[in-house]
Amino acid sequence: MEQKEVWLPSLITPTPQEGFELAIKLSRMGVKSTQPDMEVLKRLRKDYANDASGLTAASQVIAINFQTISAANNYWK
Amino acid sequence: MEQKEVWLPSLITPTPQEGFELAIKLSRMGVKSTQPDMEVLKRLRKDYANDASGLTAASQVIAINFQTISAANNYWK
Amino acid sequence: MEQKEVWLPSLITPTPQEGFELAIKLSRMGVKSTQPDMEVLKRLRKDYANDASGLTAASQVIAINFQTISAANNYWK
Amino acid sequence: MEQKEVWLPSLITPTPQEGFELAIKLSRMGVKSTQPDMEVLKRLRKDYANDASGLTAASQVIAINFQTISAANNYWK
Amino acid sequence: MEQKEVWLPSLITPTPQEGFELAIKLSRMGVKSTQPDMEVLKRLRKDYANDASGLTAASQVIAINFQTISAANNYWK
Amino acid sequence: MEQKEVWLPSLITPTPQEGFELAIKLSRMGVKSTQPDMEVLKRLRKDYANDASGLTAASQVIAINFQTISAANNYWK
């Protein structure tokens, strides 16, 4: 059986900033799970990366994932 | 009485990555429950899978479902 | 006084799958409470059911309601 | 000092269905607080009430408010 | 150092209705923090205040902020 | 190894208002993590800062991040 790459071993991170980076990774993996073709994703990048509503929408997905990661890490308290 | 297929026996998964995969499944089942016709869904795939805002929106639904699955699994702590 | 139909006696369901079905029902009742005219809803169905962003948006509402139902059922643990 | 109408005395409701109705009320008050002119709201109604994405968006606001009301009522358990 | 105006001393309010009003204030401050120019905001008001999807989107931001305020006030129980 | 700038040392803030400012910062960092080019961001600013739906969407991302920060600070109680 093909061994799947382990890209999400844990939700726990040492710092809030690394938690925010994990939230970015989760958001991008959500896109990649829907469109695995990296060529297509590179082509689309110029669409959302140069569009105000696209950037705000991307920031919102990161915010939702960061909410999850923050709760998982008990807000690094 | 027609026996329904059991596709969601539990929210509990061994690892965060399998939790993320379950969140993807929940998101797709949300689409399928609204549009059961697989032919239509295949036809529509090229719309959202090649559209930046469509991909971001799909990632957001996964993020919301992943928030639910993570809480269900007590963040795999 | 006109007796209202009781369509939401409880948030508790025996299984996660029935919880997901209740989340779908809540999402549809949210639409019906805004537009009670079933003829209009039938006419509109072809709009969102054949539109990628419409289907993703519908799945998102189900995801939010499923988050509520899952918490209500303590994630069926 | 002008006495404000008390329209939200409590988040507690006897049943989940009344909780859902309160979520609808909160959603509508959110609209009214932004646009108090009922004539404008009546005129706009035909826009969103006959538009699939408008109805889905309205259902989503109800879902978020219902999440709040459900937690307030400890899911009527 | 320029003394900042304290507009958010606390999340605690005596009643749910005042909590809803604080949620409206938070939503508007979110807009103002992005666009501080009141003249621009007044000009834009006619856009969203006369647009069904704009009003629904505004109600959704209020719903998210009200969820935060309600939890902060332990649902005024 | 290039030393990363620490911009998010903690989620804890002395006051709710500083919590709201941190939520604004998180929202902007979500945009910057997607589009690091400040020149592009400055150019796009006039798009969303003069667009009602853009401003509402920005306020919504702040609301989601503020929900996270508020929970992290136990609502400054």
Side-chain angles (χ1 to χ4, degrees):
Chain A
M1 208 188 67
E2 186 220 322
Q3 198 57 8
K4 274 193 187 172
E5 178 223 342
V6 177
W7 62 272
L8 188 59
S10 167
L11 302 190
I12 306 310
T13 68
T15 68
Q17 195 160 320
E18 286 161 288
F20 195 78
E21 282 153 18
L22 182 54
I24 294 170
K25 183 174 180 180
L26 285 169
S27 307
R28 289 179 180 165
M29 288 305 282
V31 169
K32 245 178 98 179
S33 66
T34 307
Q35 175 55 277
D37 185 332
M38 288 307 290
E39 288 314 309
V40 172
L41 293 183
K42 272 183 208 144
R43 187 165 41 80
L44 291 178
R45 189 181 146 71
K46 67 173 179 6
D47 291 348
Y48 69 84
N50 292 286
D51 172 63
S53 61
L55 289 170
T56 304
S59 182
Q60 178 160 299
V61 181
I62 294 167
I64 295 167
N65 280 314
F66 186 59
Q67 192 168 81
T68 303
I69 301 298
S70 300
N73 285 272
N74 193 29
Y75 308 104
W76 297 280
K77 289 193 278 199
Chain B
M1 209 188 69
E2 185 221 323
Q3 196 59 7
K4 274 192 185 172
E5 179 222 345
V6 177
W7 62 272
L8 188 59
S10 167
L11 302 190
I12 307 309
T13 68
T15 67
Q17 195 160 321
E18 286 162 289
F20 195 79
E21 282 153 19
L22 181 54
I24 294 170
K25 183 175 180 180
L26 284 168
S27 307
R28 289 178 180 168
M29 289 304 282
V31 168
K32 246 178 96 178
S33 66
T34 308
Q35 175 55 277
D37 185 333
M38 288 307 290
E39 288 314 308
V40 172
L41 293 183
K42 270 183 208 145
R43 186 163 44 78
L44 291 179
R45 188 181 146 71
K46 67 173 179 5
D47 291 348
Y48 69 85
N50 292 286
D51 172 62
S53 62
L55 289 170
T56 304
S59 181
Q60 178 160 299
V61 181
I62 294 167
I64 295 167
N65 281 315
F66 187 58
Q67 191 168 81
T68 304
I69 301 298
S70 300
N73 286 273
N74 193 29
Y75 309 103
W76 297 281
K77 288 193 278 199
Chain C
M1 210 188 71
E2 182 220 324
Q3 196 59 6
K4 275 192 185 171
E5 178 224 343
V6 177
W7 61 272
L8 187 60
S10 166
L11 302 190
I12 307 309
T13 68
T15 68
Q17 194 159 323
E18 287 162 289
F20 195 80
E21 282 153 19
L22 181 55
I24 294 169
K25 183 174 180 180
L26 285 169
S27 307
R28 291 178 179 167
M29 290 304 282
V31 168
K32 246 178 95 178
S33 66
T34 308
Q35 175 56 277
D37 184 333
M38 287 308 289
E39 287 315 307
V40 172
L41 294 182
K42 271 184 209 143
R43 186 164 43 79
L44 290 179
R45 188 180 146 70
K46 67 173 180 6
D47 291 348
Y48 69 84
N50 292 287
D51 171 62
S53 62
L55 290 170
T56 304
S59 182
Q60 179 160 299
V61 182
I62 294 168
I64 294 167
N65 280 315
F66 187 58
Q67 192 167 81
T68 303
I69 301 299
S70 300
N73 286 273
N74 193 28
Y75 308 104
W76 297 279
K77 288 193 277 198
Chain D
M1 209 189 69
E2 181 220 327
Q3 197 57 8
K4 274 192 187 172
E5 177 223 344
V6 177
W7 61 273
L8 187 60
S10 167
L11 302 190
I12 307 309
T13 68
T15 68
Q17 194 159 322
E18 287 162 289
F20 195 79
E21 282 152 20
L22 180 54
I24 294 170
K25 183 175 181 180
L26 285 169
S27 308
R28 290 178 181 167
M29 289 304 282
V31 168
K32 246 179 95 179
S33 66
T34 308
Q35 175 54 278
D37 186 332
M38 287 308 289
E39 286 315 307
V40 172
L41 294 182
K42 271 184 209 142
R43 186 164 45 80
L44 291 178
R45 188 181 146 69
K46 67 172 179 4
D47 291 349
Y48 69 85
N50 292 286
D51 171 64
S53 63
L55 289 170
T56 304
S59 181
Q60 179 160 299
V61 181
I62 294 169
I64 294 167
N65 281 315
F66 186 59
Q67 192 168 80
T68 303
I69 301 299
S70 300
N73 285 272
N74 194 28
Y75 309 103
W76 297 278
K77 287 194 277 198
Chain E
M1 211 190 66
E2 181 219 323
Q3 197 56 11
K4 274 193 188 171
E5 178 223 343
V6 177
W7 61 273
L8 188 59
S10 167
L11 302 190
I12 307 309
T13 69
T15 68
Q17 195 160 322
E18 286 162 289
F20 195 80
E21 281 152 19
L22 182 54
I24 294 169
K25 183 174 180 180
L26 284 168
S27 307
R28 289 179 180 165
M29 288 305 281
V31 169
K32 247 179 94 178
S33 67
T34 308
Q35 175 55 277
D37 186 331
M38 288 307 290
E39 287 314 309
V40 171
L41 293 183
K42 271 183 209 143
R43 187 164 43 79
L44 291 178
R45 189 181 145 71
K46 67 174 181 2
D47 291 348
Y48 68 86
N50 292 286
D51 172 63
S53 63
L55 290 170
T56 304
S59 182
Q60 179 161 299
V61 181
I62 294 167
I64 294 167
N65 280 315
F66 186 59
Q67 193 169 79
T68 303
I69 301 299
S70 299
N73 285 273
N74 195 28
Y75 308 104
W76 298 279
K77 287 193 277 199
Chain F
M1 209 189 66
E2 183 220 323
Q3 198 57 9
K4 275 193 188 172
E5 179 222 342
V6 177
W7 62 272
L8 187 59
S10 167
L11 301 191
I12 306 309
T13 68
T15 68
Q17 195 160 319
E18 286 162 288
F20 195 79
E21 282 152 18
L22 182 54
I24 293 170
K25 183 174 181 180
L26 285 168
S27 306
R28 290 178 180 167
M29 288 305 281
V31 169
K32 246 178 96 179
S33 67
T34 307
Q35 175 54 277
D37 186 331
M38 288 308 289
E39 287 315 308
V40 172
L41 293 183
K42 270 182 210 146
R43 187 164 43 79
L44 291 179
R45 188 181 147 72
K46 67 173 180 4
D47 291 349
Y48 68 85
N50 293 286
D51 172 64
S53 61
L55 289 170
T56 304
S59 182
Q60 178 160 299
V61 182
I62 294 168
I64 294 167
N65 280 314
F66 186 59
Q67 192 168 81
T68 303
I69 301 298
S70 300
N73 285 273
N74 194 29
Y75 308 103
W76 298 279
K77 288 193 277 199

